[in-house]
Amino acid sequence: MPYHLKMDPLMNQRKTTLFFLSVFLYISFSFGFRQTAQIYQASRGKVSFKSEAPQELINASSDQLAGLLDIDKKNFAFKIYIRSFKGFNSLTQEIHFNENYMESDKYPVASFSGKIIEDEDFTKDGSYQVRAKGTLIIHGVPQERIIKCSITVTDKKITVKSNFTVLLSDHNIPIPKLVYQKLANEIQVSVNATLEPR
């Protein structure tokens, strides 16, 4: 039985707690967050991806996106466990995704951290189109990216939505010739997360 099917709920909860703590410590040291800074957090954001290849369509999603945003300095850091993605067409497809392509035991987390380019005031309700510039790490391979995002601020809640593509070749994720018609190099990704004050 695959390892991820053996994990009990308590273990998942502990991993999530430790993971979120590590995210906070990472961005605190990386970006020098002040204790008085206005920090917003997301712990149940959703990430979905789609691979449209000639012979197969792969869809999966996770609601385990966690991250922090300093609305003063516009710094952010988000991470997600690769094994938290569900919704594959079959268990075999999920196993191949984790073991053959993403190597989830070796590279368990994908992350995106950096800074919002635009200097918007997220303390005010409204809708904002911004660019998030930072380092996207997937499969252990970092890529510098600028990703467009839609941000909506309502009643001290910040909703972030984004749609972008990821090239498997940019992150050294091989596509074996046997499945070349079943797995696309270009993956469509969508993100929807709500952040609230810590």
Side-chain angles (χ1 to χ4, degrees):
M1 180 179 292
Y3 171 75
H4 68 283
L5 297 179
K6 297 180 181 179
M7 295 179 63
D8 57 48
L10 181 58
M11 181 65 72
N12 279 328
Q13 183 179 5
R14 288 175 179 168
K15 285 187 68 177
T16 301
T17 302
L18 289 173
F19 164 67
F20 190 77
L21 179 60
S22 70
V23 171
F24 176 69
L25 291 175
Y26 168 74
I27 61 178
S28 294
F29 285 108
S30 297
F31 301 121
F33 283 177
R34 305 182 306 275
Q35 289 184 345
T36 58
Q38 296 189 62
I39 307 298
Y40 281 64
Q41 72 176 37
S43 58
R44 301 286 292 184
K46 183 175 182 179
V47 179
S48 302
F49 74 82
K50 179 167 64 174
S51 165
E52 286 189 273
Q55 294 182 7
E56 193 164 49
L57 174 65
I58 302 174
N59 281 300
S61 63
S62 169
D63 63 356
Q64 300 297 313
L65 178 68
L68 295 172
L69 168 66
D70 179 339
I71 66 172
D72 291 332
K73 292 185 176 181
K74 305 300 185 295
N75 295 325
F76 64 85
F78 288 89
K79 290 188 179 182
I80 191 165
Y81 280 108
I82 299 301
R83 283 195 179 275
S84 67
F85 283 95
K86 304 298 177 186
F88 295 89
N89 295 331
S90 66
L91 179 59
T92 299
Q93 191 179 77
E94 182 177 353
I95 292 172
H96 285 175
F97 168 79
N98 282 297
E99 296 182 2
N100 299 337
Y101 309 134
M102 298 302 292
E103 298 180 276
S104 300
D105 289 336
K106 187 175 181 180
Y107 308 108
V109 174
S111 66
F112 184 46
S113 59
K115 187 179 181 69
I116 295 174
I117 296 175
E118 286 72 23
D119 188 21
E120 300 287 0
D121 184 358
F122 296 136
T123 64
K124 297 179 180 179
D125 286 4
S127 297
Y128 308 92
Q129 299 299 314
V130 302
R131 292 165 296 168
K133 181 179 180 179
T135 303
L136 178 66
I137 302 177
I138 301 174
H139 196 239
V141 178
Q143 285 287 329
E144 294 302 311
R145 296 288 304 268
I146 295 178
I147 296 176
K148 294 181 179 179
C149 304
S150 297
I151 292 181
T152 303
V153 182
T154 306
D155 193 26
K156 294 185 179 181
K157 291 184 179 181
I158 297 176
T159 300
V160 179
K161 295 182 180 181
S162 182
N163 295 286
F164 57 96
T165 60
V166 172
L167 297 180
L168 299 187
S169 55
D170 281 348
H171 297 275
N172 294 343
I173 300 172
I175 304 177
K177 290 184 179 180
L178 291 175
V179 297
Y180 192 77
Q181 295 295 309
K182 295 184 177 182
L183 183 64
N185 181 51
E186 183 175 276
I187 307 299
Q188 301 170 47
V189 180
S190 65
V191 177
N192 189 334
T194 299
L195 299 96
E196 300 185 50
R198 295 190 82 246

